[in-house]
């Protein structure tokens, strides 16, 4: 894993989020919570079948109609190195009336949950920038704004933004430095 950029509680890295060893990783789930492709599929494969069972239980008890866009739900990490998974649902870029607000809500709500649980090491993937079609540079600006706004209030939290490619990590760093 290569670290590109580090500043005030934020690390930008290139790598596979399923390898992240910390309190929690964030999953870019879909509203069914029952698994999908991309990072969601990778997280379920690495965590093992108990994760799907835990997600089914969440659907049954807490979110019978699915997890709304921007909301967060917590499960254990099971076989992952990370202890917990914070599931969130990003906006589908082309279908959302407020992609910016919804993407920001994913990051804000995950940070708030991490704070509430006393987590100190948390990693995010680039939510919505895969199948959900959010342009990377645009998403990077939204994320940089949320990080700038919230991280100073969360001094105990070390946040890693884990990008799957070096190009996406660079895009973020450029957006954040603007
Ligand atoms: P969404 O449906 O929210 O767009 P995707 O999983 O399709 O979610 O993609 C979100 C981002 O996660 C993309 O930038 C993709 O390259 C990245 N990604 C896919 N697999 C992994 C992984 N194992 N670790 C980190 N990032 C990943």
């Amino acid at each position: 894993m290569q670290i590109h950029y580090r500043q005030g509680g934020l690390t930008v890295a290139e790598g596979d989020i399923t390898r992240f060893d910390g309190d929690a990783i964030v999953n870019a789930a879909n509203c069914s919570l029952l698994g999908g492709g991309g990072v969601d599929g990778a997280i379920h494969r690495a965590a093992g079948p108990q994760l799907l069972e835990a997600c089914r239980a969440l659907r049954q008890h807490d979110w019978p109609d699915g997890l709304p866009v921007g909301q967060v739900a917590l499960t254990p990490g099971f076989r992952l190195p990370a202890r917990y998974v914070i599931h969130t649902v990003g906006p589908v870029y082309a279908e959302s009336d407020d992609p910016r607000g919804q993407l920001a809500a994913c990051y804000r709500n995950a940070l708030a949950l991490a704070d509430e649980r006393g987590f100190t090491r948390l990693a995010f993937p680039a939510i919505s920038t895969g199948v959900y079609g959010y342009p990377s540079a645009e998403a990077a600006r939204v994320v940089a704004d949320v990080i700038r706004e919230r991280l100073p209030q969360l001094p105990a939290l070390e946040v890693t933004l884990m990008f799957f490619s070096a190009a996406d990590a660079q895009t973020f760093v450029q957006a954040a430095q603007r």
Side-chain angles (χ1 to χ4, degrees):
M1 190 191 304
Q2 205 183 336
I3 292 170
H4 293 271
Y5 177 80
R6 201 184 148 78
Q7 191 181 10
L10 177 69
T11 298
V12 177
E14 175 199 345
D16 179 352
I17 200 166
T18 65
R19 313 273 294 270
F20 181 81
D21 190 357
D23 295 298
I25 60 173
V26 176
N27 181 17
N30 59 53
C31 74
S32 81
L33 288 177
L34 301 180
V39 73
D40 192 10
I43 289 172
H44 275 270
R45 277 193 300 279
Q50 281 175 295
L51 182 58
L52 185 57
E53 278 172 43
C55 287
R56 285 213 176 96
L58 274 177
R59 281 294 305 274
Q60 219 172 352
H61 302 298
D62 300 321
W63 302 102
D65 299 326
L67 187 66
V69 175
Q71 295 290 308
V72 290
L74 190 69
T75 66
F78 300 103
R79 291 184 200 153
L80 290 166
R83 286 163 51 224
Y84 290 93
V85 179
I86 298 176
H87 304 265
T88 189
V89 182
V92 176
Y93 187 73
E95 291 173 11
S96 172
D97 292 335
D98 180 20
R100 190 187 158 78
Q102 290 185 321
L103 187 64
C106 291
Y107 284 85
R108 285 198 192 106
N109 289 330
L111 290 170
L113 179 58
D115 182 44
E116 200 180 294
R117 300 291 300 216
F119 295 164
T120 58
R121 294 195 66 225
L122 173 69
F124 285 94
I127 298 168
S128 281
T129 65
V131 174
Y132 282 6
Y134 213 119
S136 293
E138 227 177 284
R141 285 193 288 276
V142 176
V143 176
D145 286 349
V146 171
I147 293 289
R148 229 175 258 131
E149 164 197 288
R150 292 291 151 105
L151 238 53
Q153 300 155 30
L154 304 168
L157 194 61
E158 275 288 324
V159 172
T160 297
L161 301 179
M162 189 70 80
F163 292 95
F164 212 35
S165 74
D168 285 347
Q170 284 303 345
T171 299
F172 176 83
V173 171
Q174 275 159 15
Q177 284 171 338
R178 222 172 271 162

